[in-house]
Amino acid sequence: MSYEQAPTLRPQLRELVLSGLVDTLGEQSFDPDGEAVLADAATERRLDALTAVSFRGRRVLDLGARLGDLSRHARRGGAELVDAIDLDPDRVELGRLIDVLQKVDRISWFEGDAGLASTYADEYDFILAFGPAAEAMRPILPRVVQNLRGVLLCDLPAADEGPLGVALAELLPARRVLAEGEETVVVGCATELGVLRQHLAEDAPASTEGAR
């Protein structure tokens, strides 16, 4: 029997993932094989922002990883390793299954809380903190920054930055806007402009760089 004729459990795995997605997230449109498994506007905007990020050889922490779309993007972009953390154990299990289905390795999934200092045990070149994870992280942001060797990426309101934006401006004053939506923007924040330049692609827009 040739390799091409060898039996595979992939169809059954795909059906298992689809069933788990519907049970966990309800009747929505999913693509278990797609870069964005749940292609909502927020995920699409964040994936667009990550095209400006140089992941090769980097260590990445994905907080509030949801289904792992951003984690898998980082690994496909050459990240050395990715730690994906989510509060929901069902999403953690689904994320692992989707990784297997899409043949993406070296993503370690953990059930954890972005608001707990114990979550930040290792150092990372990139910390991705989107959605509720960013607000959960805000009270312990000084602790988070201790483990950041590079850039933190998150959403901020397009108009009024709010408490998170103020806290980031104090600790990570160098900033670059990576993607824009009607209500939110995706920003990369670092301690200084040189760090942004080292970690973001050369063709990423530079006109929004600044320190506050």
Side-chain angles (χ1 to χ4, degrees), residues 20 41 105 155 194:
D105 62 359
D155 294 320

Side-chain angles (χ1 to χ4, degrees), residues 1-7:
M1 179 181 295
S2 69
Y3 176 79
E4 289 77 10
Q5 295 173 322

Side-chain angles (χ1 to χ4, degrees), residues 10-21 23 94 97:
R10 180 179 171 80
Q12 292 92 324
L13 177 58
R14 191 178 192 279
E15 287 304 312
L16 178 63
V17 169
L18 268 174
S19 176
L21 288 168
D23 290 346
L94 277 169
L97 290 174

Side-chain angles (χ1 to χ4, degrees), residues 155-190:
D155 294 320
L156 289 178
D160 180 13
E161 293 185 342
L164 177 60
V166 172
L168 287 170
E170 292 178 357
L171 292 168
L172 300 169
R175 178 177 301 178
R176 184 180 292 187
V177 175
L178 302 178
E180 299 185 55
E182 292 185 3
E183 298 182 358
T184 62
V185 295
V186 178
V187 298
C189 304

Side-chain angles (χ1 to χ4, degrees), residues 42-117:
T43 300
E44 295 283 6
R45 183 170 57 254
R46 293 161 187 169
L47 285 170
D48 181 55
L50 294 191
T51 61
V53 176
S54 299
F55 283 116
R56 187 159 302 281
R58 310 290 193 177
R59 300 170 60 90
V60 180
L61 174 64
D62 186 5
L63 298 170
R66 303 206 300 174
L67 300 176
D69 294 321
L70 305 186
S71 294
R72 287 185 291 276
H73 179 95
R75 272 294 293 142
R76 290 182 176 119
E80 176 185 335
L81 63 83
V82 180
D83 287 342
I85 294 179
D86 201 278
L87 269 174
D88 188 335
D90 291 331
R91 291 191 182 190
V92 169
E93 186 59 31
L94 277 169
R96 291 188 179 120
L97 290 174
I98 295 168
D99 290 351
V100 174
L101 180 66
Q102 297 195 6
K103 300 179 180 179
V104 179
D105 62 359
R106 300 191 73 177
I107 298 176
S108 299
W109 281 86
F110 304 96
E111 182 183 348
D113 188 341
L116 294 179

